[in-house]
Amino acid sequence: MKAFVVKAPGGLDRLEITERPDPGEPGPGEIRVALHATSLNFHDYLVAAGQIATEDGRVLMSDGAGTVEAVGEGVTEFSPGDQVVSCFFPQWSDGHAGLGVGSFAGTPGDGIDGFAASHAVRPQSAFTHAPHGWSHTEAATITTAGLTAWRALVVDGGLKAGDTVLTLGTGGVSIAALQIARAMGARVIATSSSDEKLERVSDMGAGHTINYKREENWGKKVLELTDGRGVDHIVEVGGPGTLEQSIKAVRIGGHIALIGVLTGTSGEVPTAMLMAKQARLQGLVVGSRRNQQEYVAALNQTGIRPVIDRTFPFEELGDAFRYEESGAHFGKICVEW
């Protein structure tokens, strides 16, 4: 079968399509999936670009969606023909994250081979059902970005109707968070450096928008928009470069979900301000299989559909990463085959 791999030490010029042995029939507890789509995430980019070291010839991509072709002995959750989507942490079924989730050792496309391939045979716990009626490309947006937004707001944040959510930027996690928040009756304030993108999030239901290039002290602006109270939840994808403004923007006792490192991996934390706000700063990486099942159930109920900016063919995965590098996208970038 064909697979897209990265050659050590990484770099977008070191991605290549190679022939790999077909994984064969599923063993006990396993399913064989014909894969048809993936979606790009910042983590995938870091692996492909060589900024996260991985094994030479690693098959890329943590997200994978496709159709079950065969099931092994003892499999009861899936049947041939089922539409499925992969799990970011296949070893994390439920409950609190354990030691095995403290690294990416079991994450497809990083510690183990990913889903940029025509077929995969994995334990049934490596997948969940996809939402009803979704295309493979749509389903591939769930594994990382969609589930991260769901966990940030619902699982960890306890989002409820009437809350106010602040989203940063217009990437996959932020757009999914906007959709979840609106579907659950929350208000949304959205930031971006692009007025055109801010118009789009307004059309999607964001009640207020802020261009953070013109409004550098956007934390103060958020306070003004909330009559000095601050927001209940912040989907913090920037990291050290945006965290100070996020702490300004959160309400006393509010929740900041620290998801991304787009501005770097380390920096100063204004601890006195964080203490004064008595805010909860929660780091998180995606979520468990049970979280994903609950998210899929919510998607089936609400009718949310993902926002896909652009879809590339399998052979152009490298070009898809270069497009991600440009930062021009709104929502998800996908690859289908």
Side-chain angles (χ1 to χ4, degrees):
M1 68 172 184
K2 292 187 182 301
F4 227 122
V5 305
V6 59
K7 304 295 291 183
L12 300 188
D13 58 342
R14 296 185 63 79
L15 308 186
E16 61 181 49
I17 297 175
T18 187
E19 290 289 334
R20 286 290 184 90
D22 186 277
E25 293 302 307
E30 294 181 333
I31 61 175
R32 175 184 169 94
V33 178
L35 296 161
H36 294 292
T38 187
S39 75
L40 277 64
N41 302 286
F42 189 55
H43 179 255
D44 298 304
Y45 170 78
L46 293 177
V47 175
Q51 296 181 44
I52 293 179
T54 190
E55 183 179 298
D56 182 44
R58 171 69 71 219
V59 179
L60 293 165
M61 310 311 289
S62 59
D63 301 3
T67 302
V68 176
E69 287 190 332
V71 302
E73 181 183 352
V75 172
T76 58
E77 191 171 347
F78 301 105
S79 300
D82 286 350
Q83 309 298 295
V84 294
V85 58
S86 65
C87 296
F88 189 88
F89 290 119
Q91 73 275 38
W92 184 12
S93 60
D94 197 3
H96 296 295
L99 291 177
V101 186
S103 71
F104 299 115
T107 296
D110 188 337
I112 62 174
D113 279 341
F115 295 109
S118 59
H119 292 83
V121 172
R122 303 286 168 92
Q124 62 177 336
S125 57
F127 290 88
T128 70
H129 289 280
H132 302 316
W134 281 32
S135 69
H136 296 304
T137 304
E138 289 176 314
T141 67
I142 290 173
T143 297
T144 304
L147 182 56
T148 296
W150 173 260
R151 181 181 165 198
L153 292 178
V154 179
V155 180
D156 290 348
L159 179 72
K160 62 184 184 300
D163 283 353
T164 302
V165 174
L166 174 65
T167 61
L168 308 186
T170 55
V173 174
S174 297
I175 294 301
L178 166 60
Q179 292 177 297
I180 292 165
R182 293 300 298 139
M184 297 187 68
R187 298 182 292 268
V188 177
I189 300 172
T191 72
S192 174
S193 62
S194 164
D195 287 337
E196 180 184 354
K197 290 180 178 180
L198 290 175
E199 287 182 17
R200 293 185 67 182
V201 294
S202 291
D203 291 341
M204 292 178 64
H208 296 285
T209 60
I210 301 171
N211 186 313
Y212 64 79
K213 288 293 187 182
R214 288 198 300 269
E215 195 78 50
E216 292 186 4
N217 191 7
W218 47 265
K220 180 181 177 183
K221 182 64 176 179
V222 170
L223 292 178
E224 293 173 2
L225 292 172
T226 57
D227 298 323
R229 179 178 183 272
V231 296
D232 301 286
H233 309 270
I234 300 179
V235 181
E236 172 52 83
V237 299
T242 55
L243 185 56
E244 181 178 0
Q245 292 297 317
S246 287
I247 294 173
K248 285 184 183 180
V250 75
R251 70 165 171 84
I252 294 175
H255 171 233
I256 302 172
L258 183 59
I259 290 164
V261 291
L262 296 178
T263 63
T265 57
S266 63
E268 294 186 5
V269 176
T271 52
M273 182 165 52
L274 182 63
M275 289 169 62
K277 284 293 184 83
Q278 301 184 55
R280 178 160 55 99
L281 179 60
Q282 171 75 53
L284 70 119
V285 180
V286 196
S288 69
R289 185 171 188 261
R290 176 59 62 85
N291 295 155
Q292 183 162 310
Q293 290 170 320
E294 292 170 348
Y295 178 44
V296 170
L299 293 169
N300 285 331
Q301 182 66 31
T302 61
I304 292 173
R305 301 298 277 258
V307 176
I308 297 174
D309 180 282
R310 187 172 171 186
T311 300
F312 291 77
F314 185 78
E315 295 77 12
E316 297 178 13
L317 178 60
D319 292 334
F321 278 122
R322 292 182 180 90
Y323 181 58
E324 181 183 28
E325 237 178 7
S326 75
H329 58 288
F330 183 96
K332 293 294 294 178
I333 303 166
C334 295
V335 174
E336 66 181 14
W337 58 93

